[in-house]
Amino acid sequence: MTGPAQRPLLFLDVDGPLIPFGAPPPHGYPIHGPAATGANPLLARIDPAHGRRLAALQCDLVWATTWMDDANDCVAPRLGLPRLPVVRWPEPSDVDALDAWNGLHGKTRTLVGWAAGRPFAWVDDELTDADRAWVAAHHRGHALLQRVDPGQGLGDADYAALEEWSRRVSGL
């Protein structure tokens, strides 16, 4: 069982899971309020209900996005979330080029290192079987890699998987 100080981590990507994109649904993307003047207009696609649902999970939330600190400045307030830790991405290397060639996401190694054996879930729209295999081989804790449909964003099935997984690894 994982104690309160060692709750599982939930690594959150923004584009795809929280901001749907790609070919729009037949009636367009839902708009959940205006984007601030001068702000990224895609922010209006963020459903504020995600904040409540994410906060209810038995996980410590961490931004794992190229938005970096902008996720705290622009996304967290729309979700009603506090400032969250942000994963810092290393400069690209020859290893990254080889990983990409082998189908491994550029975030995978960094997130496994960041978790340092702690259980984690990762929601992203670019996850593949190569990422799952690499995490299974190199991470000693429990992990759930939840691929989100970028055209829909996080949905009920994704939340059900996250809730079940977090309860199981938290021993609840």
Side-chain angles (χ1 to χ4, degrees):
M1 177 161 49
T2 304
Q6 286 295 304
R7 293 183 346 152
L9 299 166
L10 174 53
F11 293 121
L12 292 167
D13 185 27
V14 171
D15 293 317
L18 297 173
I19 299 177
F21 69 91
H27 302 291
Y29 288 107
I31 301 299
H32 300 278
T37 304
N40 184 327
L42 297 181
L43 289 170
R45 294 182 185 175
I46 296 175
D47 182 349
H50 286 307
R52 174 185 46 79
R53 293 183 84 175
L54 290 166
L57 295 170
Q58 299 299 312
C59 299
D60 292 337
L61 305 176
V62 178
W63 293 120
T65 175
T66 57
W67 281 67
M68 303 288 291
D69 292 312
D70 288 342
N72 276 322
D73 297 336
C74 302
V75 179
R78 293 187 80 86
L79 296 171
L81 293 175
R83 294 185 72 77
L84 303 175
V86 176
V87 174
R88 304 285 173 203
W89 308 114
E91 291 298 319
S93 70
D94 292 341
V95 171
D96 296 318
L98 182 60
D99 284 349
W101 189 81
N102 288 317
L104 193 65
H105 196 293
K107 296 177 182 178
T108 307
R109 286 179 186 268
T110 300
L111 294 182
V112 168
W114 212 93
R118 195 167 160 187
F120 73 86
W122 173 18
V123 294
D124 203 302
D125 60 300
E126 298 178 335
L127 293 167
T128 67
D129 288 339
D131 300 304
R132 288 182 183 86
W134 200 92
V135 169
H138 295 91
H139 179 63
R140 65 183 181 271
H142 295 283
L144 170 67
L145 279 63
Q146 185 71 23
R147 185 186 180 284
V148 175
D149 178 347
Q152 301 297 314
L154 278 166
D156 290 340
D158 299 306
Y159 281 109
L162 290 165
E163 289 164 358
E164 190 279 324
W165 180 84
S166 68
R167 276 194 302 270
R168 186 169 35 86
V169 300
S170 297
L172 300 176

